[in-house]
Amino acid sequence: MAQTVRVKVRRQDEPGAKSYWQEFDVPYTQGMNALTCLQEIQKNPVTVSGQAVAPVVWESACLEEVCGACSMRINGIPRQGCSFLVLDPQKPLTLEPMSKFPVVRDLIIDRSRMFQALLDSHSWIDIDGTHDLGPGPRQSPKDQSWMYVLSRCMTCGCCLDACPQVNEKSDFVGASVISQVRLFNAHPSGKMHADKRLDYLMQPGGIVDCGNAQNCVKVCPKEIPLTQSIAEMGKQTLAYGFKRFASKPDLEM
Amino acid sequence: MADEKRVIIVGGGLAGLMGAITACENGLSVDLVSYVPVRRSHSVCAQGGINGAVNTMGEGDSPDFHFDDTIYGGDFLANQAMVRDMCYDAPKVIYLMDRMGVTFNRTAEGLLDFRRFGGTLFNRTAFAGATTGQQLIYALDEGVRSWEAQGKVRKFEHHSFQSIIKDGNNNCRGVVLTDQYTMESFALKANAVAMCTGGIGSIFGKTTNSVICTGSAASRLYQQGVWYANGEFLQIHPTAIPGTDKNRLISESVRGEGGRVWVPKKAGDPRPGRDIPVNERWYFLEEKYPAYGNLVPRDVAARELFDTCVNQGLGVGGRWEVYLDVSHIPHATLHAKLAGVLEIYEKFMGEDPYTNPMRVFPAMHYTMGGIYIGYGTETSRKGDLPGHWDHYQHMSNVNGLFAGGEADYQYHGANRLGANSLLSCLWAGRVLGPQMAKYLEANSSLGDCSDSEASSHVQEQETAYGAVRKMTGSENAFRLQEELNEYMTKYCTVVRVNADLQKLDAKLDELLDRWEAVGLHDSSTSSNQELIYIRELRDRLLLSKVICRGALERNESRGAHYKPEFPTRNDADWLKTTIASFDGTRNPQFSYENVDISLIPPRERSYKAASHGGQESK
């Protein structure tokens, strides 16, 4: 018989339901990844005990680690399913939904809080319109090179999932949006609206809730220097806090 | 009373997002529908860059050269007036994205950097590392969010498009969606709808496309009477890495930055690529096409790779693979300009491309064909255009139903040039907003779609789902899909032979029969992906008929459509747009329309020497 991989999946039938485990044996092929295993289950949705079940559901899109859709916990670690290669078929694979987001079903989770954070934090560059206004501001190749790294954030949620400060008792917004604010505040025209973003980071659940566990940077699939971003925004919010405090009476006219 | 200023945009890739922004700027409110959170749309996969003749490199490039390269690259099948408008707008589009904060690579002077792409001799491609599509979509996603914050955009993410609501007078009045989580179907009303639903890669299975490029939306429209044009024209990208679940793109920009394609001169040479001396390597593209070298257009490159491996047996290790080599380029250059794509190779192949030649093979990549749309009367050359209902740019043959981006058929003719796709998507988005606003104003007397009209369309979908819920046959939809993929890839990609296409057509009939015997394994009413998938599979089979039969009919070779039995372009009979329409049966009805060649007369297409349409070339 052809070689197989044992896949253990934590399943959940609908939002709020209890989770349970199922195990599958799927045929091994060289170069396969965690999502290929799930595709094999679709083609033969039968557990190791011979029970016919509904195929496992999950989110995915690009399958090349640029869209951020297929985040899940693989062998306990939050990461992208598509780029997790099954190198040793002897080792069982454990797939679970990420733990810090509401489960929709099986491995599908609701990450809408992350998009809401981008909305609330004014994470965009304001433009006067799409009509022709000529080129944008000049930037040095050096600035482009570090800003480009930050702008590769896929909103995948791994950094939130790994963060001990993100839990049901806390409102902590997590590392990704803090790093996005750093990006927009560094942009030559984005910095004109830096205050709005700093106000956001200084709200409850903002940057002071970071506990410096540094898990975020370890799990980021794009190797974004998230802890550097948090440190930088810590400085910016501190400076802004002093300025805001000092200038307040003058503004009230 | 409904909001007469509301429009619906289905699809949140570059075209849909830009369309949403221009719609808002034109005073409209937008319901934005997407299969996934818009930030995860397939546009993220575009790597290499976006074309625009900004000419900051001092090469004498101009929008006219860009226009000529695009028409020539498309083997004269593209309607010309709108292509010209797009090329003239391209520098402005790039500047706009620059203003929106895209982290484009920069020159020493802080200006936008440009690199070379296929089918041109100019450095015309702006880029953000090797993840340009991702960077563009993020800027637009953020731009749309600024309108969302003002209450002008409502998002329906994780929703699947089911049908348009079409009244008895051929007017589009809204859409029916299914919530992918709750599985509930419902109607959204609007008298202008734009479909920006991308390509149809899933028909071919292992492609460079995302799995969300299901082909279902295009097929549903076709089944509702919307014309589908040039279905047989599909782009096979020459350089992808074959995988178990998809074929991952290795961007043309790799060759734009100096990457070289070669095979060992000795068939089946067992040595690792890096150990084979330069004089024992055959750089076949450079040898055969001295002017363009490794940057011939994709259809030409894909055919040469295919021929080298399949017919000549010179693939790496006797397999269907060639080397794509950047190991001679300095590490720092590669890192600054190509890190994103080299990282993909390394992650998925477990081999360092900085020092080892990459192994690649062609894969289905882009859908040149798509929803038939009009040119509009605002194009630069009104009056001498074919087509007979050309009131609004990007409007289909159903009033109020627009399309843009990869979902439409314009701009690329028989072969798309690299880095023109991001441009055509953004340009379409720039057109969609104003055109929909204009249409709504001219048709304000239409009023609101009636509740009964809307609910009858919802009921149709409920009935169709109900039928699938009762399917208990022995066939597995995911396995049928694999058979479809295998046949389409084998018989309808790089080389097309009529006898093979007939075999494929018979296979499609067989799969349509077997689809009736599919069994549903998932009875859940929550996030039931299989239920949606089974219906989408039938959509794909019907659209595959359009592709296969369209290819069968077209007895010539043009751009990406290559028939060894008819090896030359035949303008006398086939300088025509294919239009497929649905008559309720499996087999499409075809009609043909003349192509707009009003600006550049067709000439022989060969990349052996530089070609700029008789204009002064550099």
Side-chain angles (χ1 to χ4, degrees):
Chain A
M1 191 184 149
Q3 199 161 23
T4 58
V5 185
R6 176 64 57 96
V7 185
K8 301 178 182 180
V9 187
R10 185 198 285 275
R11 307 198 61 173
Q12 182 175 324
D13 291 342
E14 55 189 29
K18 267 186 100 114
S19 70
Y20 58 94
W21 289 90
Q22 276 178 349
E23 297 191 17
F24 303 86
D25 283 333
V26 303
Y28 171 73
T29 45
Q30 209 189 345
M32 81 190 300
N33 58 50
L35 301 191
T36 329
C37 294
L38 291 169
Q39 290 172 342
E40 290 295 334
I41 295 173
Q42 285 182 323
K43 285 184 262 171
N44 183 27
V46 177
T47 66
V48 288
S49 53
Q51 184 193 358
V53 296
V56 178
V57 296
W58 74 97
E59 269 186 272
S60 63
C62 77
L63 308 188
E64 53 193 52
E65 209 190 66
V66 285
C67 80
C70 65
S71 307
M72 54 184 73
R73 282 200 167 202
I74 303 179
N75 300 338
I77 296 169
R79 62 208 320 167
Q80 304 308 113
C82 64
S83 58
F84 184 86
L85 301 186
V86 179
L87 298 174
D88 180 2
Q90 308 283 349
K91 283 192 190 151
L93 192 67
T94 307
L95 307 179
E96 297 170 82
M98 288 206 296
S99 62
K100 302 291 176 67
F101 301 91
V103 173
V104 177
R105 186 183 171 192
D106 289 349
L107 303 173
I108 302 176
I109 41 152
D110 177 2
R111 282 171 280 190
S112 47
R113 62 169 285 184
M114 296 187 74
F115 298 109
Q116 188 64 42
L118 292 174
L119 186 78
D120 296 340
S121 60
H122 202 91
S123 283
W124 57 80
I125 303 293
D126 293 276
I127 56 166
D128 293 344
T130 61
H131 51 291
D132 185 20
L133 291 171
R138 290 194 187 193
Q139 286 178 56
S140 71
K142 197 175 152 198
D143 282 344
Q144 184 274 341
S145 67
W146 72 262
M147 289 169 70
Y148 170 70
V149 173
L150 300 195
S151 73
R152 294 187 67 198
C153 172
M154 308 182 290
T155 326
C156 69
C158 289
C159 58
L160 271 70
D161 198 54
C163 177
Q165 295 298 102
V166 175
N167 58 58
E168 61 271 31
K169 293 188 191 116
S170 131
D171 294 324
F172 183 43
V173 294
S176 66
V177 70
I178 298 173
S179 188
Q180 289 293 295
V181 166
R182 181 186 176 206
L183 170 67
F184 294 112
N185 279 9
H187 186 271
S189 49
K191 65 172 57 148
M192 297 172 193
H193 306 278
D195 291 3
K196 288 181 188 169
R197 302 185 194 101
L198 295 173
D199 283 334
Y200 167 80
L201 288 188
M202 291 165 75
Q203 288 174 356
I207 192 155
V208 292
D209 282 15
C210 169
N212 204 25
Q214 309 208 1
N215 288 359
C216 52
V217 74
K218 287 178 203 138
V219 296
C220 176
K222 296 287 112 178
E223 299 175 15
I224 297 169
L226 294 167
T227 47
Q228 277 179 27
S229 290
I230 293 170
E232 169 62 24
M233 295 322 294
K235 276 187 233 160
Q236 284 188 28
T237 47
L238 197 64
Y240 176 64
F242 279 125
K243 194 180 102 189
R244 197 167 64 168
F245 179 75
S247 65
K248 230 174 191 171
D250 300 337
L251 286 176
E252 285 173 15
M253 307 199 1
Chain B
M1 184 63 204
D3 180 359
E4 280 174 11
K5 291 280 195 176
R6 183 165 289 280
V7 297
I8 297 166
I9 295 177
V10 183
L14 293 186
L17 294 178
M18 183 63 94
I21 291 172
T22 60
C24 289
E25 287 185 337
N26 278 272
L28 305 174
S29 299
V30 178
D31 282 347
L32 182 57
V33 179
S34 175
Y35 212 76
V36 291
V38 293
R39 206 172 167 86
R40 311 200 194 285
S41 302
H42 177 62
S43 303
V44 296
C45 287
Q47 298 172 347
I50 173 168
N51 286 336
V54 176
N55 191 35
T56 49
M57 313 298 275
E59 299 167 312
D61 195 10
S62 75
D64 282 319
F65 284 141
H66 184 188
F67 172 43
D68 189 79
D69 283 340
T70 302
I71 294 298
Y72 183 70
D75 224 347
F76 295 91
L77 192 65
N79 292 298
Q80 295 183 356
M82 280 186 74
V83 175
R84 195 176 88 155
D85 290 355
M86 174 181 81
C87 295
Y88 269 78
D89 195 56
K92 296 173 197 164
V93 171
I94 292 172
Y95 284 153
L96 167 62
M97 297 315 297
D98 183 23
R99 285 168 45 224
M100 291 179 82
V102 173
T103 56
F104 284 118
N105 280 52
R106 301 280 162 173
T107 65
E109 201 175 327
L111 300 173
L112 298 177
D113 198 3
F114 286 80
R115 65 179 161 209
R116 260 191 77 198
F117 249 71
T120 183
L121 296 173
F122 294 102
N123 284 285
R124 185 186 289 149
T125 307
F127 60 102
T131 60
T132 312
Q134 183 194 42
Q135 299 307 308
L136 293 175
I137 201 169
Y138 287 179
L140 289 175
D141 173 55
E142 289 143 11
V144 167
R145 204 166 277 113
S146 75
W147 287 101
E148 200 182 355
Q150 299 169 54
K152 293 293 184 187
V153 175
R154 277 197 304 187
K155 281 186 187 150
F156 294 83
E157 295 175 323
H158 300 293
H159 282 71
S160 172
F161 168 83
Q162 298 301 313
S163 75
I164 54 168
I165 299 170
K166 195 167 89 166
D167 69 16
N169 297 315
N170 197 39
N171 296 318
C172 180
R173 312 301 299 273
V175 298
V176 177
L177 307 177
T178 300
D179 181 326
Q180 292 170 5
Y181 291 167
T182 65
M183 305 307 291
E184 279 162 19
S185 297
F186 61 95
L188 288 180
K189 296 177 187 176
N191 291 336
V193 172
M195 299 298 295
C196 303
T197 45
I200 52 110
S202 292
I203 283 178
F204 293 80
K206 287 185 195 175
T207 76
T208 64
N209 286 190
S210 297
V211 292
I212 52 177
C213 305
T214 66
S216 175
S219 180
R220 291 281 173 93
L221 294 172
Y222 160 70
Q223 293 170 61
Q224 282 190 280
V226 178
W227 296 346
Y228 193 84
N230 288 346
E232 65 270 31
F233 288 96
L234 298 154
Q235 178 159 81
I236 314 304
H237 196 290
T239 61
I241 41 177
T244 57
D245 49 349
K246 82 172 288 189
N247 295 334
R248 295 178 174 83
L249 175 67
I250 299 297
S251 169
E252 191 168 288
S253 59
V254 168
R255 282 170 282 141
E257 296 292 350
R260 302 178 75 187
V261 173
W262 60 277
V263 290
K265 282 183 181 167
K266 196 172 99 191
D269 195 324
R271 292 172 291 178
R274 64 178 176 196
D275 294 342
I276 297 176
V278 171
N279 61 359
E280 293 178 44
R281 302 172 175 187
W282 184 30
Y283 294 95
F284 55 95
L285 289 176
E286 296 173 27
E287 186 180 304
K288 291 183 175 178
Y289 302 92
Y292 291 82
N294 293 293
L295 287 171
V296 286
R298 292 172 178 175
D299 59 325
V300 177
R303 273 194 292 282
E304 291 292 349
L305 264 68
F306 193 85
D307 180 67
T308 302
C309 295
V310 179
N311 301 332
Q312 302 187 52
L314 285 172
V316 174
R319 297 180 299 270
W320 287 12
E321 288 172 358
V322 303
Y323 284 126
L324 172 57
D325 196 353
V326 293
S327 59
H328 56 285
I329 301 172
H331 192 285
T333 308
L334 294 177
H335 188 75
K337 297 187 166 177
L338 296 172
V341 61
L342 298 180
E343 170 189 299
I344 289 174
Y345 188 85
E346 186 157 17
K347 277 196 178 171
F348 289 94
M349 297 293 277
E351 207 172 66
D352 175 15
Y354 289 80
T355 52
N356 292 287
M358 294 179 275
R359 289 170 287 129
V360 297
F361 196 70
M364 153 61 190
H365 179 61
Y366 187 85
T367 313
M368 269 89 70
I371 299 161
Y372 183 86
I373 53 167
Y375 315 82
T377 49
E378 288 173 7
T379 52
S380 26
R381 289 289 291 269
K382 52 186 142 180
D384 50 0
L385 299 173
H388 50 274
W389 44 264
D390 50 358
H391 302 299
Y392 297 94
Q393 292 178 0
H394 280 265
M395 193 170 89
S396 73
N397 62 315
V398 173
N399 301 320
L401 179 70
F402 294 75
E406 192 173 346
D408 77 50
Y409 88 106
Q410 292 282 20
Y411 303 110
H412 308 299
N415 171 65
R416 176 175 68 74
L417 288 191
N420 264 354
S421 58
L422 297 182
L423 174 63
S424 63
C425 286
L426 294 175
W427 158 250
R430 277 159 80 76
V431 173
L432 284 171
Q435 289 292 307
M436 288 197 288
K438 195 173 143 194
Y439 172 83
L440 285 183
E441 200 178 324
N443 293 277
S444 56
S445 61
L446 266 180
D448 197 8
C449 162
S450 71
D451 285 342
S452 64
E453 187 106 63
S455 63
S456 76
H457 280 78
V458 175
Q459 191 52 48
E460 269 176 43
Q461 297 306 317
E462 298 285 6
T463 305
Y465 279 122
V468 175
R469 283 195 181 276
K470 292 195 192 99
M471 290 176 87
T472 55
S474 57
E475 295 280 5
N476 179 305
F478 300 99
R479 287 175 186 272
L480 284 192
Q481 163 79 13
E482 280 193 329
E483 288 185 46
L484 168 68
N485 299 159
E486 188 196 321
Y487 269 76
M488 288 299 287
T489 303
K490 191 169 170 190
Y491 292 133
C492 207
T493 51
V494 181
V495 177
R496 291 156 175 194
V497 176
N498 281 347
D500 290 342
L501 292 169
Q502 272 154 359
K503 269 188 237 168
L504 172 62
D505 191 52
K507 181 71 181 182
L508 294 174
D509 280 326
E510 178 206 311
L511 290 172
L512 278 161
D513 290 339
R514 286 167 61 197
W515 182 88
E516 306 286 339
V518 159
L520 177 75
H521 303 86
D522 192 345
S523 57
S524 173
T525 51
S526 171
S527 301
N528 192 329
Q529 293 178 342
E530 193 188 28
L531 183 64
I532 291 176
Y533 189 88
I534 289 173
R535 292 192 61 202
E536 288 175 346
L537 172 59
R538 188 162 188 282
D539 297 332
R540 279 194 281 281
L541 289 166
L542 289 171
L543 198 57
S544 298
K545 277 275 187 179
V546 172
I547 297 168
C548 172
R549 292 200 150 225
L552 193 56
E553 294 287 322
R554 186 177 280 273
N555 282 329
E556 65 158 351
S557 291
R558 181 186 299 273
H561 174 73
Y562 172 62
K563 278 188 174 176
E565 297 160 286
F566 304 91
T568 54
R569 193 174 85 197
N570 176 354
D571 283 348
D573 296 328
W574 288 105
L575 184 52
K576 287 185 169 72
T577 299
T578 306
I579 299 172
S581 61
F582 183 72
D583 68 354
T585 70
R586 290 174 177 182
N587 294 326
Q589 299 295 310
F590 289 112
S591 60
Y592 294 90
E593 188 182 85
N594 288 331
V595 177
D596 162 25
I597 49 167
S598 57
L599 299 166
I600 302 174
R603 61 184 190 272
E604 195 195 344
R605 182 176 182 256
S606 152
Y607 284 89
K608 307 274 181 199
S611 176
H612 281 297
Q615 300 174 68
E616 194 74 24
S617 69
K618 66 167 191 150

